[in-house]
Amino acid sequence: MYLENTMAESDETRPLVPSTPDDERTGISSSSAASGPEPTPNAIHKEDDVQTWMLWVLAIGIGVFTYLCIYPPLPSLQGPSIDPNLLLKVNTTRAHQNLANAIRIPTISGDTKELAAFRQFVVDTFPKASQVLEWEVVEECGLMGKWQGRDQNLKEKLPALWIAHMDVVPVDAPETWTVPPFDASVVDGMLYGRGTLDDKSMLMAEMEAVEALLEMGYVPKRSLYVAFGCDEEIHGDEGAGRMSSLLQERGLKFEYVLDEGMPIAQQLFPGISTPIAFIGLVEKSNPVFKITARAAGGHASLPFAPNPIHLLSRAIATLSTLTAPPGFTEVTQWLLDHLSPEHPSAIVRRILRHPTLVNLLLKVIPPERAPGLAALTRTTWTTTQIQSGVAANVMPGEASAIINARIRPGETESEILHFIARKIGAQIIQPGETPTLDNGLWIETISHPRPNAHRLTPIDTNAWKTLTGTIRHVFGKTKEELLVSPSLLMAGTDSVHYSSLTDSIYRFQPVPMTSQDTARLHGIDERIGLKDYDKMIEFFMALKVNGDEN
């Protein structure tokens, strides 16, 4: 538009060139001039303007290319390896058997008998640890222990807290598994079973590390606490919630809390093939909504009245087509700061450092093309349960669906609830409120998010340097072997219950995973490589030693 206006103005204001014979203006006689219409002065001016704009575009393009490709490289934020000052030893054969025995106890959330058996199993399996850990069973649910450090006066060296959970999710269709989900069978070096990844390998690796260090005669400089919940998969209130309250009553503070979380991922970040150890510094909040459809119902032989199942189905179908807009948060910026210098493309390296450009890209890339990136930057929701009907020949009076939402930092439960209600045309009701509709849809929150899920852990601390340096020691000493990056955790964990006890919560699963592995979490054929499990134990041993020395 600016070009058109400029050209139009030039046409109106510039005086026409006086008419002059050809031979006077050019020295070429009309008989020797080229045939065809002579260009008008206005056309000549327009061509000049177009050429000027083309030169400007070319200059801008050269400048952009120079900035993106020739400008000095971005500084790497990948830190050094921190090596422990002693040779670590562990009996891996015994550790594999212990993990298999742990998997064989079906500690499904709410099964108090099996959970009690598992607590006793932990105490019995690690005799040296049980002699020093001062075990406590909290509210007949959680299991908590303290490994006392030798230096009682390290006020600036707070203890660490390692947490995990004993409970697992149910198995919907055990017949679809390669091996029975609680048999703990080993196939091609992989241990199969519910809980191998979520979360018994974490719990058992922590305990194997303590047991192995004690067998080596190691005496810690600073204290270490462990806390194992019994109900993380449903809410965590009775396990982590009660244990954190007890620790708070005792006036305890921790340098950091380490819980399950992001893995060492492969092929998760577009364009980077090097494995990346993602450390969750904040997590999405996780409200649960219930959508209910109501109508009169009736006999199936007269299916002309509104059907709640149909009403609900249309609402769910609408939700399945909706995508929340992407959002650029502080932890996303930290992630890009750590990974953009390592991207093989110079152009992509520069683009990733500019939030505006990244936001534009996120808006045009379909979520299904980059699901990991989409989950990192967007609030998500999905339908997980549907209930309706009493008989094959009866139209029901109600139908309901459960919607599991994962809300990114920067957005709230209320905003998402109102957004969904508006899109499906549902009335919002409060818990315990009776809906006023005889026909139609309503939506309510049946489970609120865990508190402080959106509180961000800093990365300018000694604990961060020790953690990342230990990760590099165990899983890859150079950035060609491994990258380490802050991240957002898309799931929810017990760690939020401990937010009042520390400034630093790390959500990290020290095990390599591909996208196929993450699909096994809460799914079919959950499994872990035994060599990967050995590395988990080594990681916790090194982390304890490094934490004492740094």
Side-chain angles (χ1 to χ4, degrees), residues 39-57:
T40 66
N42 287 341
I44 293 173
H45 291 312
K46 289 180 180 179
E47 289 177 3
D48 289 343
D49 287 339
V50 169
Q51 291 174 357
T52 300
W53 277 98
M54 290 178 65
L55 288 173
W56 273 107
V57 170

Side-chain angles (χ1 to χ4, degrees), residues 132-134 145-162 210 218-226 247 252-256 543-545 547-549:
V132 302
L133 275 180
E134 306 173 16
K146 173 189 176 183
W147 189 7
Q148 179 65 54
R150 67 176 183 267
D151 197 332
Q152 304 284 343
N153 299 316
L154 287 176
K155 292 183 179 180
E156 73 282 2
K157 295 285 190 178
L158 296 173
L161 174 61
W162 296 352
V210 173
Y218 183 77
V219 179
K221 183 179 295 184
R222 69 167 89 179
S223 297
L224 171 69
Y225 287 72
V226 294
L247 292 170
L252 285 164
K253 292 288 184 181
F254 297 97
E255 183 187 25
Y256 69 87
L543 182 62
K544 179 59 187 136
V545 175
D548 283 343
E549 300 301 325

Side-chain angles (χ1 to χ4, degrees), residues 45-250:
H45 291 312
K46 289 180 180 179
E47 289 177 3
D48 289 343
D49 287 339
V50 169
Q51 291 174 357
T52 300
W53 277 98
M54 290 178 65
L55 288 173
W56 273 107
V57 170
L58 179 61
I60 293 171
I62 292 173
V64 171
F65 177 82
T66 301
Y67 172 73
L68 292 177
C69 299
I70 305 176
Y71 198 76
L74 299 168
S76 177
L77 297 182
Q78 299 299 314
S81 168
I82 299 179
D83 303 331
N85 59 2
L86 78 162
L87 180 64
L88 305 177
K89 300 177 182 178
V90 63
N91 185 333
T92 57
T93 301
R94 185 184 65 190
H96 298 167
Q97 187 59 52
N98 288 342
L99 179 59
N101 290 337
I103 299 303
R104 294 187 180 107
I105 304 175
T107 53
I108 295 169
S109 304
D111 191 331
T112 56
K113 180 181 178 180
E114 296 294 352
L115 286 163
F118 188 85
R119 285 194 301 270
Q120 189 60 49
F121 162 79
V122 171
V123 173
D124 294 341
T125 301
F126 303 103
K128 287 190 175 296
S130 294
Q131 289 176 9
V132 302
L133 275 180
E134 306 173 16
W135 286 119
E136 291 182 75
V137 176
V138 180
E139 299 292 339
E140 297 301 320
C141 178
L143 182 63
M144 187 168 65
K146 173 189 176 183
W147 189 7
Q148 179 65 54
R150 67 176 183 267
D151 197 332
Q152 304 284 343
N153 299 316
L154 287 176
K155 292 183 179 180
E156 73 282 2
K157 295 285 190 178
L158 296 173
L161 174 61
W162 296 352
I163 66 175
H165 62 89
M166 301 177 280
D167 61 320
V168 300
V169 295
V171 178
D172 286 337
E175 69 278 2
T176 62
W177 283 55
T178 300
V179 296
F182 294 107
D183 275 12
S185 300
V186 177
V187 179
D188 296 329
M190 307 292 292
L191 176 65
Y192 284 73
R194 177 62 85 225
T196 48
L197 290 174
D198 187 13
D199 178 39
K200 287 180 178 176
S201 59
M202 187 90 166
L203 186 155
M204 294 296 288
E206 292 174 5
M207 290 305 305
E208 293 286 357
V210 173
E211 187 79 3
L213 287 171
L214 286 168
E215 289 177 341
M216 293 170 57
Y218 183 77
V219 179
K221 183 179 295 184
R222 69 167 89 179
S223 297
L224 171 69
Y225 287 72
V226 294
F228 305 139
C230 66
D231 58 348
E232 190 275 344
E233 297 293 359
I234 46 181
H235 49 67
D237 293 340
E238 298 301 318
R242 298 292 180 88
M243 287 188 290
S244 65
S245 296
L246 185 60
L247 292 170
Q248 189 170 10
E249 290 172 7
R250 294 173 181 174

Side-chain angles (χ1 to χ4, degrees), residues 396-410:
E398 282 190 4
S400 63
I402 301 299
I403 308 298
N404 188 289
R406 305 288 168 137
I407 302 177
R408 68 167 179 83

